[in-house]
Amino acid sequence: GTGTTKGCRDILVLFLTAKKKKDENRLINMKSDNQSIIQNYNAPTMERAARLKVNARGHAAKTCTTKEEEILHRMAYLRLTIENTPFDGEAWHYLGMALRDYAKKNTNSDVFHSCIKCLERALILSPCDGRLCNNIGLTYETLFNCANNNKISNEKDDSEANFHTAYEQAFVTKYFTRSQQLHDIAEDIGCDVLFDSDMTCLNHGLYVSNQDRFSDAAEILRRFENASDMNSRFNDNPQHMRIIRDGEQLLKFCVGMSERKHQIQES
């Protein structure tokens, strides 16, 4: 559904499998103790890919003992998914996120660039996925921060450094803004995207506030003004309530800092 021009992505897909006798002769010979993997390979291509994508997280969480091992398992399942359905934008999205988790854990810039390539491929295949745009914004933010931390301070003059900073800010903001626009479209259609929308708003506001642009951040975070009313709607979702609470606190901080800067400038 994320590949549609309307931005609607909450679509129920039912796989109806009709197995014939001749299909039994097409089983892939695998030496594995994991019966679920064998069953996945016995299914038609699209259904097989869907099962592998689900197992990318579920199976890894059950069988892996370390975080790194869990990430590698996710990568393996998602690579198999993409081999079956290379046009699945969601699979490319999830593979990119697995690579990002691995890169953050091992501080590997090459893996970060591979992550970006996967996410950009996903965006071509799923241009109306607001969650994807949010994650691309977060990934570029992390990548730029890593690059800036590795730069030698006297490598560039101030004017060139300021140019790169402005470019990076505009680049990251573009994806957060696009994410919010897509969530708004999906919400207008009737999809339940409040969690994703609030998450993007918080990420965007946090990014802008970290640039000391408190007035701009406060405008982005205005949706959290009535946080107490919002909390009552999501009592059954602690993660969503935490996002709302964090958004409210960040909004108050940004408003206070913006007023303080304004007073200093006037004096």
Side-chain angles (χ1 to χ4, degrees), residues 179-210:
S179 175
Q180 197 64 61
Q181 290 171 344
L182 289 170
H183 290 320
D184 290 343
I185 293 171
E187 190 171 356
D188 289 341
I189 294 171
C191 298
D192 183 7
V193 294
L194 282 175
F195 176 86
D196 298 322
S197 186
D198 287 342
M199 174 71 81
T200 296
C201 181
L202 178 60
N203 289 335
H204 191 187
L206 185 60
Y207 173 73
V208 174
S209 68
N210 284 337

PDB file of all heavy atoms in Angstrom, residues 179-210:
ATOM      1  N   SER A 179       7.806  13.251   5.822  1.00  0.00           N
ATOM      2  CA  SER A 179       7.183  12.222   6.657  1.00  0.00           C
ATOM      3  C   SER A 179       5.900  12.736   7.288  1.00  0.00           C
ATOM      4  O   SER A 179       4.854  12.067   7.270  1.00  0.00           O
ATOM      5  CB  SER A 179       8.153  11.761   7.744  1.00  0.00           C
ATOM      6  OG  SER A 179       7.528  10.854   8.629  1.00  0.00           O
ATOM      7  N   GLN A 180       5.958  13.954   7.838  1.00  0.00           N
ATOM      8  CA  GLN A 180       4.782  14.530   8.485  1.00  0.00           C
ATOM      9  C   GLN A 180       3.665  14.775   7.480  1.00  0.00           C
ATOM     10  O   GLN A 180       2.483  14.547   7.766  1.00  0.00           O
ATOM     11  CB  GLN A 180       5.155  15.839   9.184  1.00  0.00           C
ATOM     12  CG  GLN A 180       4.138  16.301  10.207  1.00  0.00           C
ATOM     13  CD  GLN A 180       4.002  15.334  11.373  1.00  0.00           C
ATOM     14  OE1 GLN A 180       4.957  15.089  12.097  1.00  0.00           O
ATOM     15  NE2 GLN A 180       2.817  14.762  11.552  1.00  0.00           N
ATOM     16  N   GLN A 181       4.015  15.215   6.287  1.00  0.00           N
ATOM     17  CA  GLN A 181       3.017  15.444   5.240  1.00  0.00           C
ATOM     18  C   GLN A 181       2.312  14.133   4.872  1.00  0.00           C
ATOM     19  O   GLN A 181       1.087  14.104   4.704  1.00  0.00           O
ATOM     20  CB  GLN A 181       3.684  16.046   4.004  1.00  0.00           C
ATOM     21  CG  GLN A 181       4.163  17.476   4.193  1.00  0.00           C
ATOM     22  CD  GLN A 181       5.002  17.960   3.025  1.00  0.00           C
ATOM     23  OE1 GLN A 181       5.486  17.173   2.205  1.00  0.00           O
ATOM     24  NE2 GLN A 181       5.188  19.275   2.943  1.00  0.00           N
ATOM     25  N   LEU A 182       3.069  13.063   4.742  1.00  0.00           N
ATOM     26  CA  LEU A 182       2.484  11.772   4.381  1.00  0.00           C
ATOM     27  C   LEU A 182       1.585  11.248   5.494  1.00  0.00           C
ATOM     28  O   LEU A 182       0.526  10.664   5.226  1.00  0.00           O
ATOM     29  CB  LEU A 182       3.594  10.768   4.072  1.00  0.00           C
ATOM     30  CG  LEU A 182       4.363  11.025   2.771  1.00  0.00           C
ATOM     31  CD1 LEU A 182       5.596  10.130   2.688  1.00  0.00           C
ATOM     32  CD2 LEU A 182       3.471  10.797   1.561  1.00  0.00           C
ATOM     33  N   HIS A 183       1.999  11.441   6.735  1.00  0.00           N
ATOM     34  CA  HIS A 183       1.152  11.021   7.853  1.00  0.00           C
ATOM     35  C   HIS A 183      -0.160  11.812   7.867  1.00  0.00           C
ATOM     36  O   HIS A 183      -1.232  11.249   8.148  1.00  0.00           O
ATOM     37  CB  HIS A 183       1.882  11.208   9.181  1.00  0.00           C
ATOM     38  CG  HIS A 183       3.012  10.251   9.400  1.00  0.00           C
ATOM     39  ND1 HIS A 183       2.947   8.924   9.039  1.00  0.00           N
ATOM     40  CD2 HIS A 183       4.242  10.420   9.956  1.00  0.00           C
ATOM     41  CE1 HIS A 183       4.084   8.326   9.351  1.00  0.00           C
ATOM     42  NE2 HIS A 183       4.871   9.213   9.918  1.00  0.00           N
ATOM     43  N   ASP A 184      -0.076  13.095   7.566  1.00  0.00           N
ATOM     44  CA  ASP A 184      -1.287  13.921   7.530  1.00  0.00           C
ATOM     45  C   ASP A 184      -2.235  13.438   6.431  1.00  0.00           C
ATOM     46  O   ASP A 184      -3.465  13.384   6.636  1.00  0.00           O
ATOM     47  CB  ASP A 184      -0.925  15.391   7.300  1.00  0.00           C
ATOM     48  CG  ASP A 184      -0.223  16.016   8.500  1.00  0.00           C
ATOM     49  OD1 ASP A 184      -0.310  15.433   9.601  1.00  0.00           O
ATOM     50  OD2 ASP A 184       0.427  17.066   8.328  1.00  0.00           O
ATOM     51  N   ILE A 185      -1.679  13.081   5.267  1.00  0.00           N
ATOM     52  CA  ILE A 185      -2.502  12.569   4.168  1.00  0.00           C
ATOM     53  C   ILE A 185      -3.173  11.261   4.577  1.00  0.00           C
ATOM     54  O   ILE A 185      -4.377  11.066   4.366  1.00  0.00           O
ATOM     55  CB  ILE A 185      -1.639  12.356   2.907  1.00  0.00           C
ATOM     56  CG1 ILE A 185      -1.152  13.694   2.362  1.00  0.00           C
ATOM     57  CG2 ILE A 185      -2.432  11.607   1.830  1.00  0.00           C
ATOM     58  CD1 ILE A 185      -0.126  13.573   1.259  1.00  0.00           C
ATOM     59  N   ALA A 186      -2.382  10.360   5.180  1.00  0.00           N
ATOM     60  CA  ALA A 186      -2.925   9.070   5.600  1.00  0.00           C
ATOM     61  C   ALA A 186      -4.009   9.243   6.660  1.00  0.00           C
ATOM     62  O   ALA A 186      -5.022   8.539   6.648  1.00  0.00           O
ATOM     63  CB  ALA A 186      -1.800   8.178   6.129  1.00  0.00           C
ATOM     64  N   GLU A 187      -3.802  10.204   7.564  1.00  0.00           N
ATOM     65  CA  GLU A 187      -4.794  10.449   8.618  1.00  0.00           C
ATOM     66  C   GLU A 187      -6.092  11.003   8.025  1.00  0.00           C
ATOM     67  O   GLU A 187      -7.194  10.633   8.455  1.00  0.00           O
ATOM     68  CB  GLU A 187      -4.222  11.415   9.651  1.00  0.00           C
ATOM     69  CG  GLU A 187      -5.064  11.554  10.902  1.00  0.00           C
ATOM     70  CD  GLU A 187      -4.374  12.354  11.990  1.00  0.00           C
ATOM     71  OE1 GLU A 187      -3.196  12.742  11.801  1.00  0.00           O
ATOM     72  OE2 GLU A 187      -5.008  12.595  13.031  1.00  0.00           O
ATOM     73  N   ASP A 188      -5.970  11.874   7.014  1.00  0.00           N
ATOM     74  CA  ASP A 188      -7.154  12.427   6.360  1.00  0.00           C
ATOM     75  C   ASP A 188      -7.957  11.335   5.655  1.00  0.00           C
ATOM     76  O   ASP A 188      -9.187  11.388   5.594  1.00  0.00           O
ATOM     77  CB  ASP A 188      -6.750  13.501   5.341  1.00  0.00           C
ATOM     78  CG  ASP A 188      -6.240  14.771   6.017  1.00  0.00           C
ATOM     79  OD1 ASP A 188      -6.534  14.963   7.215  1.00  0.00           O
ATOM     80  OD2 ASP A 188      -5.533  15.549   5.351  1.00  0.00           O
ATOM     81  N   ILE A 189      -7.250  10.338   5.137  1.00  0.00           N
ATOM     82  CA  ILE A 189      -7.926   9.235   4.455  1.00  0.00           C
ATOM     83  C   ILE A 189      -8.658   8.339   5.446  1.00  0.00           C
ATOM     84  O   ILE A 189      -9.651   7.707   5.122  1.00  0.00           O
ATOM     85  CB  ILE A 189      -6.905   8.414   3.638  1.00  0.00           C
ATOM     86  CG1 ILE A 189      -6.343   9.252   2.491  1.00  0.00           C
ATOM     87  CG2 ILE A 189      -7.518   7.141   3.085  1.00  0.00           C
ATOM     88  CD1 ILE A 189      -5.198   8.605   1.769  1.00  0.00           C
ATOM     89  N   GLY A 190      -8.163   8.301   6.674  1.00  0.00           N
ATOM     90  CA  GLY A 190      -8.807   7.476   7.697  1.00  0.00           C
ATOM     91  C   GLY A 190      -7.910   6.439   8.321  1.00  0.00           C
ATOM     92  O   GLY A 190      -8.372   5.603   9.106  1.00  0.00           O
ATOM     93  N   CYS A 191      -6.613   6.462   7.983  1.00  0.00           N
ATOM     94  CA  CYS A 191      -5.672   5.502   8.568  1.00  0.00           C
ATOM     95  C   CYS A 191      -5.268   5.943   9.979  1.00  0.00           C
ATOM     96  O   CYS A 191      -5.179   7.140  10.264  1.00  0.00           O
ATOM     97  CB  CYS A 191      -4.415   5.387   7.701  1.00  0.00           C
ATOM     98  SG  CYS A 191      -4.713   4.791   6.041  1.00  0.00           S
ATOM     99  N   ASP A 192      -5.023   4.980  10.835  1.00  0.00           N
ATOM    100  CA  ASP A 192      -4.593   5.266  12.201  1.00  0.00           C
ATOM    101  C   ASP A 192      -3.075   5.395  12.218  1.00  0.00           C
ATOM    102  O   ASP A 192      -2.354   4.410  12.341  1.00  0.00           O
ATOM    103  CB  ASP A 192      -5.057   4.146  13.139  1.00  0.00           C
ATOM    104  CG  ASP A 192      -4.681   4.441  14.594  1.00  0.00           C
ATOM    105  OD1 ASP A 192      -4.185   5.554  14.865  1.00  0.00           O
ATOM    106  OD2 ASP A 192      -4.873   3.551  15.444  1.00  0.00           O
ATOM    107  N   VAL A 193      -2.585   6.599  12.066  1.00  0.00           N
ATOM    108  CA  VAL A 193      -1.133   6.843  12.011  1.00  0.00           C
ATOM    109  C   VAL A 193      -0.695   7.817  13.102  1.00  0.00           C
ATOM    110  O   VAL A 193       0.374   8.419  12.991  1.00  0.00           O
ATOM    111  CB  VAL A 193      -0.729   7.383  10.621  1.00  0.00           C
ATOM    112  CG1 VAL A 193      -0.945   6.341   9.537  1.00  0.00           C
ATOM    113  CG2 VAL A 193      -1.496   8.660  10.292  1.00  0.00           C
ATOM    114  N   LEU A 194      -1.495   7.974  14.152  1.00  0.00           N
ATOM    115  CA  LEU A 194      -1.171   8.950  15.188  1.00  0.00           C
ATOM    116  C   LEU A 194       0.161   8.651  15.869  1.00  0.00           C
ATOM    117  O   LEU A 194       0.941   9.566  16.161  1.00  0.00           O
ATOM    118  CB  LEU A 194      -2.289   9.009  16.228  1.00  0.00           C
ATOM    119  CG  LEU A 194      -3.541   9.793  15.825  1.00  0.00           C
ATOM    120  CD1 LEU A 194      -4.608   9.669  16.895  1.00  0.00           C
ATOM    121  CD2 LEU A 194      -3.198  11.260  15.585  1.00  0.00           C
ATOM    122  N   PHE A 195       0.426   7.372  16.132  1.00  0.00           N
ATOM    123  CA  PHE A 195       1.686   7.013  16.775  1.00  0.00           C
ATOM    124  C   PHE A 195       2.863   7.428  15.894  1.00  0.00           C
ATOM    125  O   PHE A 195       3.821   8.065  16.357  1.00  0.00           O
ATOM    126  CB  PHE A 195       1.734   5.510  17.052  1.00  0.00           C
ATOM    127  CG  PHE A 195       3.034   5.038  17.634  1.00  0.00           C
ATOM    128  CD1 PHE A 195       3.263   5.084  19.000  1.00  0.00           C
ATOM    129  CD2 PHE A 195       4.045   4.557  16.820  1.00  0.00           C
ATOM    130  CE1 PHE A 195       4.464   4.660  19.546  1.00  0.00           C
ATOM    131  CE2 PHE A 195       5.256   4.125  17.344  1.00  0.00           C
ATOM    132  CZ  PHE A 195       5.466   4.184  18.708  1.00  0.00           C
ATOM    133  N   ASP A 196       2.803   7.053  14.611  1.00  0.00           N
ATOM    134  CA  ASP A 196       3.894   7.382  13.689  1.00  0.00           C
ATOM    135  C   ASP A 196       4.026   8.891  13.521  1.00  0.00           C
ATOM    136  O   ASP A 196       5.133   9.422  13.448  1.00  0.00           O
ATOM    137  CB  ASP A 196       3.648   6.728  12.327  1.00  0.00           C
ATOM    138  CG  ASP A 196       3.623   5.215  12.398  1.00  0.00           C
ATOM    139  OD1 ASP A 196       4.433   4.660  13.165  1.00  0.00           O
ATOM    140  OD2 ASP A 196       2.807   4.595  11.704  1.00  0.00           O
ATOM    141  N   SER A 197       2.892   9.574  13.468  1.00  0.00           N
ATOM    142  CA  SER A 197       2.907  11.026  13.293  1.00  0.00           C
ATOM    143  C   SER A 197       3.521  11.724  14.504  1.00  0.00           C
ATOM    144  O   SER A 197       4.343  12.640  14.366  1.00  0.00           O
ATOM    145  CB  SER A 197       1.484  11.525  13.052  1.00  0.00           C
ATOM    146  OG  SER A 197       1.476  12.898  12.750  1.00  0.00           O
ATOM    147  N   ASP A 198       3.146  11.287  15.700  1.00  0.00           N
ATOM    148  CA  ASP A 198       3.712  11.873  16.913  1.00  0.00           C
ATOM    149  C   ASP A 198       5.212  11.577  17.022  1.00  0.00           C
ATOM    150  O   ASP A 198       5.991  12.429  17.467  1.00  0.00           O
ATOM    151  CB  ASP A 198       2.985  11.338  18.145  1.00  0.00           C
ATOM    152  CG  ASP A 198       1.583  11.913  18.289  1.00  0.00           C
ATOM    153  OD1 ASP A 198       1.302  12.947  17.662  1.00  0.00           O
ATOM    154  OD2 ASP A 198       0.766  11.316  19.015  1.00  0.00           O
ATOM    155  N   MET A 199       5.598  10.386  16.622  1.00  0.00           N
ATOM    156  CA  MET A 199       7.016  10.014  16.651  1.00  0.00           C
ATOM    157  C   MET A 199       7.831  10.909  15.728  1.00  0.00           C
ATOM    158  O   MET A 199       8.902  11.418  16.102  1.00  0.00           O
ATOM    159  CB  MET A 199       7.180   8.550  16.245  1.00  0.00           C
ATOM    160  CG  MET A 199       8.620   8.092  16.091  1.00  0.00           C
ATOM    161  SD  MET A 199       9.481   7.976  17.669  1.00  0.00           S
ATOM    162  CE  MET A 199       8.896   6.373  18.222  1.00  0.00           C
ATOM    163  N   THR A 200       7.327  11.119  14.507  1.00  0.00           N
ATOM    164  CA  THR A 200       8.032  11.986  13.566  1.00  0.00           C
ATOM    165  C   THR A 200       8.121  13.409  14.093  1.00  0.00           C
ATOM    166  O   THR A 200       9.170  14.064  14.000  1.00  0.00           O
ATOM    167  CB  THR A 200       7.311  11.988  12.206  1.00  0.00           C
ATOM    168  OG1 THR A 200       7.359  10.676  11.644  1.00  0.00           O
ATOM    169  CG2 THR A 200       7.971  12.948  11.234  1.00  0.00           C
ATOM    170  N   CYS A 201       7.013  13.898  14.657  1.00  0.00           N
ATOM    171  CA  CYS A 201       6.995  15.261  15.203  1.00  0.00           C
ATOM    172  C   CYS A 201       8.041  15.417  16.303  1.00  0.00           C
ATOM    173  O   CYS A 201       8.778  16.416  16.341  1.00  0.00           O
ATOM    174  CB  CYS A 201       5.601  15.571  15.733  1.00  0.00           C
ATOM    175  SG  CYS A 201       5.423  17.236  16.409  1.00  0.00           S
ATOM    176  N   LEU A 202       8.132  14.445  17.195  1.00  0.00           N
ATOM    177  CA  LEU A 202       9.113  14.502  18.279  1.00  0.00           C
ATOM    178  C   LEU A 202      10.537  14.459  17.731  1.00  0.00           C
ATOM    179  O   LEU A 202      11.402  15.235  18.155  1.00  0.00           O
ATOM    180  CB  LEU A 202       8.880  13.343  19.247  1.00  0.00           C
ATOM    181  CG  LEU A 202       9.868  13.229  20.418  1.00  0.00           C
ATOM    182  CD1 LEU A 202       9.834  14.491  21.275  1.00  0.00           C
ATOM    183  CD2 LEU A 202       9.548  12.002  21.266  1.00  0.00           C
ATOM    184  N   ASN A 203      10.797  13.553  16.780  1.00  0.00           N
ATOM    185  CA  ASN A 203      12.137  13.448  16.192  1.00  0.00           C
ATOM    186  C   ASN A 203      12.542  14.741  15.493  1.00  0.00           C
ATOM    187  O   ASN A 203      13.677  15.209  15.624  1.00  0.00           O
ATOM    188  CB  ASN A 203      12.183  12.287  15.196  1.00  0.00           C
ATOM    189  CG  ASN A 203      12.117  10.932  15.873  1.00  0.00           C
ATOM    190  OD1 ASN A 203      12.481  10.793  17.034  1.00  0.00           O
ATOM    191  ND2 ASN A 203      11.635   9.934  15.159  1.00  0.00           N
ATOM    192  N   HIS A 204      11.588  15.318  14.750  1.00  0.00           N
ATOM    193  CA  HIS A 204      11.869  16.556  14.026  1.00  0.00           C
ATOM    194  C   HIS A 204      12.124  17.707  15.007  1.00  0.00           C
ATOM    195  O   HIS A 204      13.094  18.467  14.850  1.00  0.00           O
ATOM    196  CB  HIS A 204      10.684  16.885  13.107  1.00  0.00           C
ATOM    197  CG  HIS A 204      10.954  17.984  12.137  1.00  0.00           C
ATOM    198  ND1 HIS A 204       9.981  18.518  11.316  1.00  0.00           N
ATOM    199  CD2 HIS A 204      12.095  18.684  11.864  1.00  0.00           C
ATOM    200  CE1 HIS A 204      10.513  19.469  10.579  1.00  0.00           C
ATOM    201  NE2 HIS A 204      11.788  19.596  10.891  1.00  0.00           N
ATOM    202  N   GLY A 205      11.264  17.821  16.008  1.00  0.00           N
ATOM    203  CA  GLY A 205      11.446  18.885  16.996  1.00  0.00           C
ATOM    204  C   GLY A 205      12.752  18.752  17.758  1.00  0.00           C
ATOM    205  O   GLY A 205      13.437  19.746  18.029  1.00  0.00           O
ATOM    206  N   LEU A 206      13.112  17.528  18.096  1.00  0.00           N
ATOM    207  CA  LEU A 206      14.366  17.292  18.817  1.00  0.00           C
ATOM    208  C   LEU A 206      15.565  17.664  17.959  1.00  0.00           C
ATOM    209  O   LEU A 206      16.525  18.282  18.439  1.00  0.00           O
ATOM    210  CB  LEU A 206      14.439  15.820  19.235  1.00  0.00           C
ATOM    211  CG  LEU A 206      15.624  15.399  20.107  1.00  0.00           C
ATOM    212  CD1 LEU A 206      15.621  16.173  21.421  1.00  0.00           C
ATOM    213  CD2 LEU A 206      15.584  13.900  20.383  1.00  0.00           C
ATOM    214  N   TYR A 207      15.495  17.305  16.673  1.00  0.00           N
ATOM    215  CA  TYR A 207      16.599  17.635  15.764  1.00  0.00           C
ATOM    216  C   TYR A 207      16.778  19.148  15.646  1.00  0.00           C
ATOM    217  O   TYR A 207      17.895  19.665  15.760  1.00  0.00           O
ATOM    218  CB  TYR A 207      16.342  17.034  14.379  1.00  0.00           C
ATOM    219  CG  TYR A 207      17.358  17.464  13.347  1.00  0.00           C
ATOM    220  CD1 TYR A 207      18.654  16.958  13.378  1.00  0.00           C
ATOM    221  CD2 TYR A 207      17.038  18.399  12.366  1.00  0.00           C
ATOM    222  CE1 TYR A 207      19.604  17.353  12.448  1.00  0.00           C
ATOM    223  CE2 TYR A 207      17.972  18.813  11.438  1.00  0.00           C
ATOM    224  CZ  TYR A 207      19.256  18.280  11.483  1.00  0.00           C
ATOM    225  OH  TYR A 207      20.190  18.692  10.575  1.00  0.00           O
ATOM    226  N   VAL A 208      15.678  19.868  15.452  1.00  0.00           N
ATOM    227  CA  VAL A 208      15.757  21.319  15.285  1.00  0.00           C
ATOM    228  C   VAL A 208      16.195  21.987  16.587  1.00  0.00           C
ATOM    229  O   VAL A 208      16.996  22.935  16.579  1.00  0.00           O
ATOM    230  CB  VAL A 208      14.393  21.873  14.812  1.00  0.00           C
ATOM    231  CG1 VAL A 208      14.405  23.397  14.779  1.00  0.00           C
ATOM    232  CG2 VAL A 208      14.056  21.330  13.429  1.00  0.00           C
ATOM    233  N   SER A 209      15.715  21.491  17.717  1.00  0.00           N
ATOM    234  CA  SER A 209      16.114  22.090  19.000  1.00  0.00           C
ATOM    235  C   SER A 209      17.598  21.871  19.274  1.00  0.00           C
ATOM    236  O   SER A 209      18.251  22.711  19.899  1.00  0.00           O
ATOM    237  CB  SER A 209      15.274  21.511  20.142  1.00  0.00           C
ATOM    238  OG  SER A 209      15.558  20.144  20.367  1.00  0.00           O
ATOM    239  N   ASN A 210      18.141  20.762  18.799  1.00  0.00           N
ATOM    240  CA  ASN A 210      19.577  20.508  18.971  1.00  0.00           C
ATOM    241  C   ASN A 210      20.435  21.469  18.162  1.00  0.00           C
ATOM    242  O   ASN A 210      21.641  21.586  18.401  1.00  0.00           O
ATOM    243  CB  ASN A 210      19.908  19.066  18.570  1.00  0.00           C
ATOM    244  CG  ASN A 210      19.471  18.064  19.621  1.00  0.00           C
ATOM    245  OD1 ASN A 210      19.312  18.403  20.789  1.00  0.00           O
ATOM    246  ND2 ASN A 210      19.265  16.817  19.223  1.00  0.00           N
TER     247      ASN A 210
END
